[in-house]
Every structure is written in structure tokens, then in C-alpha cells.
Amino acid sequence: MVYDRTPAFSFYTEDYMKRQVTYEGAQKEAVLHRDGPMLVLAGPGSGKTFTITHRVCHLIEEYKVDPSRILVITFTKAAATEMKERFDALMGEPAPFVSFGTFHAIFFRILKFAYRYDARNIIREDQKTSFIKEEMDRCGVEVEDEVEFVTSVLSEISSVKGDMIPLDHYYSKNCSEEIFKQLYQGYEDRLRKSNLIDFDDMLVMCHELFTQRKDILSAWQKKYQYILIDEFQDINRVQYEIVRMLAKPEDNLFIVGDDDQSIYRFRGAKPEIMLGFEKDYKNAKKVLLNMNYRSTRDIVETAGKLIAQNEMRFSKKIITEKGPGKPVVTRMWKDPQEETMEIVREILDYGRAGYELSDIAVIYRTNLGPRLLIEKFMEYNVPFSTRDSVPNLYDHWIAGNLVSYMKTALGDRQRANVLQIINRPNRYISRDSLEGSPVNWESVKSFYQDRGFMVERIEQLEYDLRMIKNMAPVAAVNYIRKAVGYDDYLKEYAQYRRMKPEELLEVADQLQESAAGFQTFDQWFVHMKEYGEELNNRAKSGQTKAEGVALMTMHSSKGLEYKIVYILDANEGVTPHHKAVLSADLEEERRMFYVAMTRAEERLHVNYVTERYGKKQEVSRFVREYLGKN
């Protein structure tokens, strides 16, 4: 397609005229909308990308808008690239004058003009980690899970900036307010001294620039006459404030999203912004794209029963053009081992029935969820791919502690090994008492010869190690946790780290569950090594292609679709997660489950267990809700 590059377009192409007749109902209203704010509620599989790209075409070809004055904002680079490719294909050739980009890319472009920034001014991930670690050393912060702590603190710093929260009013989830303030301010000082900015600074600085320099704001307002935003339900406070300034005075703001699929509060997303859009823009028009082109009627209606339980949402009824399809299958299993084995068998049956394994997805709440399934896939040589980085359970520091207990019990008294156990739980044994390697227990007792109670503690440890030596792996784990007191240590550490103890105890439970499958320590250690090698090989090969069964978290499943979907472990404490206490948390958990359900095109299997780690499990309230058994 060849078209004039001037602001006015005085012709209609044959392709464009053909496109017009495909618009129906709400979609037509959205595509043909011209000026002023519009809220487009786009349900799962309703063709929102189609709507956005066709609206841009319509602005250019029907309303003669200069392409350079149109801005399309997405949340990920991949989404921006896909949107541009779809638009180019629609137009028949690349259209470089329409701006497609992420919030960060667009705002950084603005900062580049104002402050002459370039890519060298953007801090790398390894630098961010290094800055926080150095500040931890300076503040004397010691934690068991350094990598997780650093990641969590950086996430909190991002939240403070994105939500525009005064530092004095922020309550840290990971450490004391005093420590967090020191880490935050130290990190910020390092950034400024190095003339670096992070991704959140791009937003904060852009907001400050527009607030303080009305002339610069006016120039960018004239630049972008029409603004379209995809996945608007995921917007945060500072992004929204910048967009509101940028859209003035015409307020040609076209937002597309689904409040029922807002699942990124942990990243700062504020679904309430979308819910309040009509209050901010009294003259905003609203349309609902309620036709699901993806899923069968039974899947759509079952998922609709679930999400209707949320109170903070736009009321909507999603329909589908497809037939009823197969009923949603909800299955109860005795325990995760039985659940996993039966899912593997069913998946292999689907393969024999003619389905490609890449047509199948298994979705779970957290990335700890698929360990048993991955182990079973490895055993049966079932090909699979992972959308997320699956953490190696056996690399967790808790696993390191438990393995050190066992290796020490088996006679490995290397100092590094003994240090892993000596004060877990705390026996108040000084490192200075552990002279030489291997450690000699008689020498340690000699160090404390004038303190009988300390000698008794060391003798108790020696006794515990002798007991562990003669146990099967699962009995040893249980003995370390209960008799030695390791669970009590985990609870104390959780309190120090402002975590729920369940987060750490679940890791210990998973390790105990794994240990139950092996008769000897050596067998278990070999399994740990092989499992780690398999994960490493997949990470090195960069296996992101859709080969085999797709494994993913509920968060990562958003935007994807598969003919067959399995949801793992639909149990209370898993989904909704035990962290979810407040009403807003529970509603987001329900939205996550809804997202997982609506990935399915033809078949949906929901699974739950009645027992895990030797404890009774309750079926998720979400299952009861969509079954109508509240």
C-alpha cells in the first residue's frame, strides 16, 4: 500500500473498504470512535489487538490523522513489536510514523531529548544487585537467602517509585523500616553519583519533567494527538498521571483492557485506576467486547461463574460463538503423587489421540508447583518447555542446610559443611571453636571445657548426627526438622525476615516429599544432581520454543491459549495463596484463576488433592464457587 505522508489522507484503499464490513456491534463502535476518551473492556479472546490496530488504520484513512501524531503504548517490548507487525500487515507496508512502544521506551525517549540520556545511562541488572549488596554490607544486614532478599528489596524500591509513596510512609515487607530506608537511600545515592537511572526513574523523572516544565509538556502534547493504551488494567499510578498530562487538552485517550485480568499488583498495577476511569473522564464512552473467539461455551460460562464472585469489577457477561464443547473436568486426587501420575497418563493419551503435545499447557500458582511433574516428565521422556525460570528446589539454602546435616552425619566434617548446621538451630557455638578442617568434635568440646552447658549442646549434636546416619532420607529430614529443631529455626528466621513461616516450611515439606522416594542418601543425592543438570541444560539451550507440553505459572499464562489446559493443585493455601489475606488480595487470586481457566480453547481440567505432606487439604474456594457449592 502506498499512501501520502502528509497529515491529511484523501483516499480509501480497497483493503480498507473490505475491512470496514467486518466490524460488528461493540467492536465497530470502538474502531470507528473518533475524539475524546473511550474505555474498551476487552474480555478474554475478544480480539483487542484487532480492535487497536484497526482503529489506528481508521484514524489514518478515515479521519486523516497524521500517523506521527498517534501513540500506541503497551507493557512489554514483545507486545509492542507484535502490535506494530499486525498494523504493518494491515496497512500493507511498514508505517514508521506511528509510534509503538512500552511505557519505559516512550518515556525514556522524552528524557533523551530533555537530558541527553542514552543507553549507557540505564543501569544494568547486575549493577542494581551489586549496589544493594554493597549497601547491605554497609548496614550490616545478614540473610540466609541473599539472592531472594536483594530481588525483593529491588521490587519494593520499584513499588515506592511507581506508586509515588513518600519513603517515610512505606512499611517494608522484608526488613525493618530503618534498614529499608538506608538501603533505598544508599541505592539512590549510588545511582546519582554514577549518573545512572533505572526503569522506574524513567517514569518518576518524566513525571517531574512534565510537572515542572510546562513548555516541554506542551510540545509533547502537540506531538501525540491520539493515545491508545493496551492492557490498561496493568497501569500504575505514575504511568497514569503522566498519560493524563500527555493527553491534555483533547483527552483523546483510548484505553483497552480487562479488569478481570488484572494480576500484577505485586508489580504496582492498580486495577482501581481502570475502575475509576469514568470518574476521571466524565464524558468517556464505554464499550464491551464480550465475544470470546477462543473458548467453548462451557469453559466461558464456568469461568464466568467464578469471576462473578469478585465485587470490585465492571459487571459483564462474556459469550462465545463456539458450541458447548466438552464439560470442564474437575478431579480430586489422594495426593500430589497420584495427581501427577494421572496427569502424565492423560497427556500421553491425548498424544495418542492425535493432539500435539504443544497443544497442551499445565498451569500452576507458583514456580515451585511443577517439580513433581517435571520429575515425572523426565522419567517418562515426555518433552516439555517452561515459560518461567523454574527454581531448583535442591539449590535452595534450606536444602543446603538439610543436606549438610546428612553429609556431616555420614562423616563429612569439612569446616564449610559443619558451618552450615552448627547454629541452625542456634546453639551459640562460635566459629572460633571450629579450628581446622575436618572439624574435630573433641577439640570443639575442649574449647568450651569450662562451660558444661555448651559441652552438653555439642554432645547432643553428636548424638543427633549418629541418629541421622542410620535413617532413610525421609526419616532423617523429619528428625532434623522436629527433633533437632530446624523448623523452629525457620520460624524464627521468617519472623526476622517479615515472612510468613509457611513460605519456608513449604520448602522443607517439598524436600521431605522428595526424600520419600529414595531408600538411601546416595540415591537422593544422585537424583538432586540429575534434576539440577536437566534444568541447567534447558536454561543453557534457551528452550523458549513451544516444544512439548507447556509449563507455566498463572501469571505467565496471560495472553496465551492452548487447546487443552490443566490447572494443578486447586487447593486452599495454594490458590488462593496463603499470603492472600485482604479482600483485594483474594480478588486478585480469583482473577489469576480466571486467567488460567480462560487459556483453554477446547478442554479444561482442574485438579486438586485431599492430602499433601501428610496433612489434610481443602479444595480451593474457587472450585466451589464455579461449581456452585459455596
Side-chain angles (χ1 to χ4, degrees):
M1 179 188 298
V2 179
Y3 55 87
D4 192 335
R5 297 297 186 185
T6 60
F9 293 83
S10 57
F11 63 89
Y12 302 102
T13 67
E14 184 178 344
D15 285 345
Y16 169 69
M17 297 304 292
K18 288 178 181 177
R19 287 199 302 270
Q20 267 193 316
V21 301
T22 66
Y23 308 143
E24 297 177 358
Q27 195 171 65
K28 180 178 180 180
E29 184 180 354
V31 170
L32 302 187
H33 175 71
R34 179 163 184 171
D35 296 325
M38 173 171 271
L39 165 61
V40 179
L41 294 172
S46 61
K48 63 184 179 60
T49 302
F50 175 97
T51 302
I52 293 171
T53 53
H54 279 250
R55 169 169 159 74
V56 174
C57 286
H58 197 79
L59 287 173
I60 295 169
E61 295 177 317
E62 171 76 11
Y63 300 134
K64 305 177 183 179
V65 174
D66 180 348
S68 68
R69 301 194 70 183
I70 300 173
L71 172 63
V72 182
I73 306 177
T74 66
F75 277 84
T76 67
K77 187 176 180 180
T81 300
E82 181 191 359
M83 191 81 72
K84 186 179 188 314
E85 288 174 350
R86 294 271 292 271
F87 173 72
D88 288 346
L90 204 57
M91 296 296 288
E93 68 168 26
F97 295 100
V98 177
S99 295
F100 291 86
T102 64
F103 279 101
H104 291 107
I106 299 299
F107 295 165
F108 186 60
R109 183 184 178 199
I110 292 169
L111 296 179
K112 283 169 69 175
F113 281 99
Y115 301 123
R116 300 294 188 267
Y117 280 141
D118 60 35
R120 292 171 295 182
N121 297 107
I122 302 174
I123 189 171
R124 301 189 311 272
E125 287 300 313
D126 63 310
Q127 289 176 297
K128 291 167 66 174
T129 298
S130 177
F131 285 0
I132 294 296
K133 285 183 177 179
E134 289 169 12
E135 290 304 314
M136 287 169 62
D137 290 340
R138 193 175 63 81
C139 299
V141 176
E142 293 184 7
V143 292
E144 294 274 13
D145 47 344
E146 185 179 81
V147 173
E148 183 181 335
F149 179 80
V150 170
T151 301
S152 298
V153 167
L154 285 170
S155 176
E156 289 197 273
I157 290 173
S158 178
S159 295
V160 169
K161 293 181 180 182
D163 291 342
M164 306 171 75
I165 303 172
L167 190 56
D168 288 338
H169 297 169
Y170 184 74
Y171 182 83
S172 174
K173 302 180 184 73
N174 289 283
C175 53
S176 70
E177 281 63 63
E178 180 183 354
I179 291 295
F180 180 76
K181 188 180 292 186
Q182 290 177 5
L183 295 176
Y184 182 99
Q185 292 174 337
Y187 171 75
E188 287 294 285
D189 289 344
R190 294 292 302 273
L191 283 177
R192 302 293 88 85
K193 288 176 183 176
S194 305
N195 194 28
L196 294 171
I197 61 173
D198 61 23
F199 284 105
D200 298 294
D201 290 328
M202 294 179 192
L203 311 182
V204 173
M205 294 176 71
C206 194
H207 183 270
E208 291 175 350
L209 178 68
F210 281 175
T211 302
Q212 297 167 7
R213 292 291 302 271
K214 299 303 181 185
D215 55 330
I216 292 177
L217 171 59
S218 178
W220 286 102
Q221 287 171 334
K222 291 173 183 174
K223 165 68 177 170
Y224 294 125
Q225 183 181 4
Y226 290 87
I227 301 174
L228 300 88
I229 304 177
D230 187 22
E231 303 284 10
F232 188 80
Q233 75 277 353
D234 295 331
I235 201 166
N236 70 20
R237 178 57 58 187
V238 68
Q239 289 166 340
Y240 183 53
E241 295 301 328
I242 296 170
V243 166
R244 292 197 70 188
M245 287 190 279
L246 196 57
K248 291 182 182 299
E250 290 92 350
D251 289 334
N252 292 326
L253 196 52
F254 185 85
I255 68 166
V256 182
D258 183 5
D259 56 306
D260 289 335
Q261 296 187 71
S262 180
I263 59 174
Y264 295 116
R265 283 176 67 238
F266 72 99
R267 292 183 189 166
K270 299 290 182 186
E272 57 268 28
I273 293 175
M274 187 171 188
L275 292 168
F277 186 79
E278 292 171 290
K279 292 181 180 178
D280 293 334
Y281 294 93
K282 304 292 185 185
N283 62 330
K285 294 181 179 178
K286 181 172 74 174
V287 297
L288 168 63
L289 304 182
N290 68 335
M291 177 62 75
N292 183 318
Y293 297 98
R294 174 189 302 152
S295 308
T296 59
R297 188 167 70 227
D298 202 70
I299 293 171
V300 169
E301 291 180 353
T302 302
K305 291 175 185 175
L306 170 72
I307 201 61
Q309 305 298 316
N310 270 4
E311 295 181 1
M312 298 298 293
R313 65 186 291 264
F314 289 110
S315 179
K316 60 181 83 72
K317 180 174 177 60
I318 305 300
I319 58 177
T320 178
E321 60 176 8
K322 292 189 174 183
K326 299 286 187 180
V328 172
V329 178
T330 304
R331 296 287 298 274
M332 175 184 74
W333 306 105
K334 175 180 178 293
D335 53 34
Q337 287 78 8
E338 184 182 55
E339 173 192 40
T340 299
M341 190 64 252
E342 291 303 319
I343 288 175
V344 171
R345 286 175 181 161
E346 287 183 14
I347 286 174
L348 291 174
D349 285 343
Y350 273 124
R352 285 188 284 269
Y355 283 95
E356 296 291 333
L357 291 183
S358 57
D359 290 333
I360 305 172
V362 181
I363 303 177
Y364 34 85
R365 173 60 182 84
T366 72
N367 57 13
L368 278 176
R371 178 188 58 82
L372 275 175
L373 189 63
I374 289 175
E375 290 176 345
K376 197 59 68 175
F377 278 167
M378 289 166 57
E379 181 181 342
Y380 281 81
N381 294 314
V382 178
F384 66 94
S385 62
T386 55
R387 291 279 302 179
D388 312 87
S389 173
V390 178
N392 185 352
L393 172 70
Y394 308 119
D395 282 343
H396 197 285
W397 60 270
I398 293 176
N401 289 173
L402 295 177
V403 169
S404 288
Y405 262 107
M406 295 170 194
K407 287 185 175 179
T408 305
L410 292 171
D412 181 357
R413 295 195 304 276
Q414 295 300 311
R415 188 171 188 272
N417 206 48
V418 175
L419 283 171
Q420 283 278 304
I421 70 168
I422 198 70
N423 284 313
R424 297 176 177 92
N426 203 343
R427 301 176 178 90
Y428 301 96
I429 297 175
S430 168
R431 285 173 173 249
D432 294 338
S433 69
L434 307 178
E435 293 182 352
S437 187
V439 171
N440 184 300
W441 295 122
E442 294 305 317
S443 296
V444 179
K445 286 185 280 189
S446 177
F447 184 89
Y448 289 108
Q449 60 183 337
D450 57 341
R451 280 175 277 180
F453 68 95
M454 290 298 294
V455 173
E456 287 181 11
R457 287 178 182 173
I458 298 163
E459 289 176 341
Q460 179 64 53
L461 175 58
E462 287 184 281
Y463 171 81
D464 289 333
L465 292 172
R466 285 195 299 271
M467 294 292 291
I468 293 167
K469 179 181 179 179
N470 298 311
M471 291 179 174
V474 66
V477 173
N478 187 62
Y479 186 87
I480 295 165
R481 295 180 64 186
K482 308 301 182 186
V484 176
Y486 188 75
D487 274 8
D488 293 332
Y489 166 73
L490 292 180
K491 292 172 185 174
E492 290 174 7
Y493 182 74
Q495 185 176 14
Y496 165 69
R497 280 277 279 105
R498 294 191 171 182
M499 304 167 69
K500 284 198 170 186
E502 290 86 353
E503 294 179 53
L504 301 180
L505 294 173
E506 183 181 0
V507 174
D509 284 338
Q510 284 219 10
L511 287 163
Q512 191 164 334
E513 178 183 68
S514 171
F518 303 91
Q519 297 299 313
T520 69
F521 292 121
D522 283 343
Q523 289 174 353
W524 194 30
F525 296 160
V526 168
H527 169 75
M528 291 181 186
K529 184 172 181 289
E530 291 176 347
Y531 181 79
E533 288 173 351
E534 176 69 19
L535 290 185
N536 288 335
N537 289 338
R538 289 180 179 276
K540 287 176 183 176
S541 64
Q543 188 183 27
T544 56
K545 294 175 290 186
E547 296 178 351
V549 182
L551 308 183
M552 66 196 71
T553 62
M554 292 179 176
H555 283 110
S556 294
S557 72
K558 190 167 177 293
L560 303 175
E561 54 189 44
Y562 296 88
K563 291 180 180 178
I564 302 160
V565 166
Y566 284 84
I567 295 178
L568 271 186
D569 300 332
N571 288 92
E572 288 290 304
V574 178
T575 176
H577 198 267
H578 58 72
K579 283 185 180 180
V581 177
L582 303 176
S583 176
D585 298 328
L586 289 169
E587 294 216 344
E588 174 145 299
E589 292 284 323
R590 190 175 285 108
R591 291 194 293 268
M592 275 189 268
F593 204 94
Y594 175 73
V595 165
M597 295 179 77
T598 53
R599 299 312 93 196
E601 298 175 4
E602 300 176 9
R603 301 298 303 271
L604 174 61
H605 299 260
V606 181
N607 300 272
Y608 66 95
V609 299
T610 59
E611 182 182 300
R612 175 182 283 107
Y613 315 133
K615 303 167 192 170
K616 184 180 178 183
Q617 301 293 302
E618 296 292 331
V619 62
S620 170
R621 70 192 70 184
F622 302 151
V623 172
R624 297 198 304 271
E625 287 168 357
Y626 74 66
L627 290 177
K629 295 181 179 179
N630 281 1

